[in-house]
Structures are given as structure tokens and as C-alpha cells.
């Protein structure tokens, strides 16, 4: 059976889930918005893991659209999955990079055996992606990953119970609610 997609309004750092997704930047060394909140509440172990990643596999930082896991520190989760959303561009279509953040995060989550994964609305803050469009891309990407066949993302469909979008305010919540209803 395919995982449920759920919506809640709230602060992602207050959620309980196997994996919480961070809207990181490519430095992996912290920032504002979700990133700042996750490091503040999660404590220094997350940053220590991020520094280790920078010193090993990700010397140049985490590329846009990719995802990587660390400890969740003091958060009520087993893992934080860091992904780097694209900055919104009015002249270049970066939708596939945004979709990739969701797909890759789910792939990493599935590889860790996570059953519940919580996402923020990636790229809709400092990176300025229009909410309605970002919500449509997010919902399509998650649905696509959950529906995918036996290879690749198929493992996601098999093992996940819930993919939760955690929306910080009412406007974001409504955008995701409409995206879910439109294609439900
Ligand atoms: P990005 O740099 O990818 O745009 P941001 O963290 O700036 O990421 O914002 C992404 C979205 O997350 C925005 O819609 C913002 O309002 C929301 N947000 C900010 N803080 C939190 C939080 N603690 N929990 C959930 N969502 C948050």
C-alpha cells in the first residue's frame, strides 16, 4: 500500500518523524529559516555531522537538488535529511531541481529505513519560489516517487507509511491543500 500524504500547519522542529527534511543551503553549515531552526533546536551534533560531510564527500558543498542525512541531534527524529532547493528564477525553469529535492530526500529516507518523513515547503522562503507553484511541484514529485516502479524509488513506495508536509503558515498550508486536492 502506498504511503499517506498528510499536511500539518506548524514548526518542523516540533514534529516527530523518522526523518525531518531540512531546507539547507549548499554549504551545509547553517542558515536562516528552517535551517536555522533545525540547528538551534537540534543542537551542535547536527552541525558536527555536516562539517564531517564537508570534510569528506561534499568538499564543495551539497549540490542543488541532492540530499544527504545526518543525525537529528536533540530533535524528535532519527535523521535530518538536508537538501538544497533551487533559488527561484523568473527566467530559467528550475522545477526539476525542486522536484529532485523531494525525490532524493525520499530515496535517502528509504535507504535509512524511515517510515515517516516530514518536509518543509522547500525553496519558498529565502529562495523565493512562489508558493502555489512550489506546492504543485512538491505534491507531484512525492506522488511520483511513491508511485514509482520496483527499481529506484520503488523502495520508497514499499517502506514508507507517511510523507508529511509541515507548513509554517496558513497561506502555505492552503497552497499545499489545494495542490493535493487538485490532483487527488
Ligand atoms: P529556502 O531557503 O529553501 O527558501 P526557508 O527555510 O527560507 O528555505 O523557507 C522554506 C519554507 O519554510 C518557507 O515557506 C518558510 O516560511 C518555512 N519555514 C520557516 N521556518 C520553518 C519552520 N521552523 N518549520 C516549518 N517551516 C518553516
Amino acid at each position: 500500500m502506498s504511503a499517506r500524504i498528510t499536511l500539518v500547519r506548524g514548526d518542523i522542529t516540533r514534529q516527530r518523524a523518522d526523518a525531518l527534511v531540512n531546507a539547507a543551503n549548499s554549504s551545509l553549515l547553517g542558515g536562516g529559516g528552517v535551517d536555522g531552526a533545525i540547528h538551534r533546536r537540534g543542537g551542535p551534533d547536527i552541525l558536527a555531522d555536516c562539517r564531517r560531510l564537508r570534510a569528506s564527500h561534499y568538499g564543495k558543498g551539497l549540490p542543488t537538488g541532492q540530499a544527504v542525512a545526518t543525525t537529528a541531534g536533540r530533535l524528535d527524529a532519527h535523521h535530518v535529511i538536508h537538501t538544497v532547493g533551487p533559488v527561484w528564477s523568473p527566467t530559467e525553469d528550475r522545477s526539476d531541481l525542486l522536484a529532485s529535492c523531494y525525490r532524493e530526500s525520499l530515496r535517502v529516507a528509504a535507504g535509512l529505513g524511515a517510515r515517516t518523513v516530514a518536509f518543509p515547503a522547500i525553496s519558498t522562503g529565502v529562495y523565493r519560489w512562489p508558493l502555489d507553484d512550489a506546492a504543485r511541484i512538491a505534491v507531484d514529485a512525492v506522488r511520483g516517487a511513491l508511485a514509482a516502479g520496483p527499481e529506484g524509488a520503488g523502495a520508497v513506495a514499499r517502506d514508507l507509511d507517511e510523507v508529511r508536509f509541515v507548513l509554517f503558515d496558513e497561506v502555505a498550508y492552503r497552497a499545499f491543500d489545494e495542490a493535493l486536492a487538485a490532483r487527488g
Side-chain angles (χ1 to χ4, degrees), residues 82-166:
H82 305 262
T83 189
V84 182
V87 176
W88 161 255
S89 164
T91 54
E92 189 188 1
D93 182 5
R94 299 175 179 167
S95 305
D96 200 54
L97 283 170
L98 182 55
S100 173
C101 290
Y102 290 95
R103 284 195 300 265
E104 289 300 303
S105 296
L106 288 177
R107 199 173 56 76
V108 170
L112 293 164
R115 306 193 73 90
T116 51
V117 180
F119 281 100
I122 297 164
S123 287
T124 65
V126 174
Y127 288 174
R128 301 187 311 276
W129 205 291
L131 257 173
D132 289 346
D133 198 48
R136 181 184 57 74
I137 293 165
V139 167
D140 281 359
V142 169
R143 283 204 171 124
L146 296 178
E151 294 110 37
V156 167
R158 205 169 48 240
D159 296 331
L160 271 176
D161 292 331
E162 182 191 2
V163 177
R164 189 185 314 150
F165 291 110
V166 183

Side-chain angles (χ1 to χ4, degrees), residues 10-14 22-25 32-38 40 83-86 119-129 131 166-169 172:
D11 177 342
I12 196 162
T13 69
R14 304 277 185 175
N22 180 19
N25 60 55
V34 173
D35 203 8
I38 280 182
R40 260 194 314 278
T83 189
V84 182
F119 281 100
I122 297 164
S123 287
T124 65
V126 174
Y127 288 174
R128 301 187 311 276
W129 205 291
L131 257 173
V166 183
L167 294 323
F168 208 39
D169 58 31

Side-chain angles (χ1 to χ4, degrees), residues 24-73:
N25 60 55
S26 69
S27 81
L28 289 176
L29 300 179
V34 173
D35 203 8
I38 280 182
H39 284 288
R40 260 194 314 278
R41 190 171 296 275
D45 290 357
I46 301 175
L47 190 59
D49 261 9
C50 287
R51 286 193 201 283
R52 278 193 281 275
L53 288 168
R54 283 301 304 273
S56 54
H57 284 76
Y58 296 99
K60 293 184 178 152
L62 181 66
T64 305
Q66 295 190 22
V68 67
T70 65
T71 176

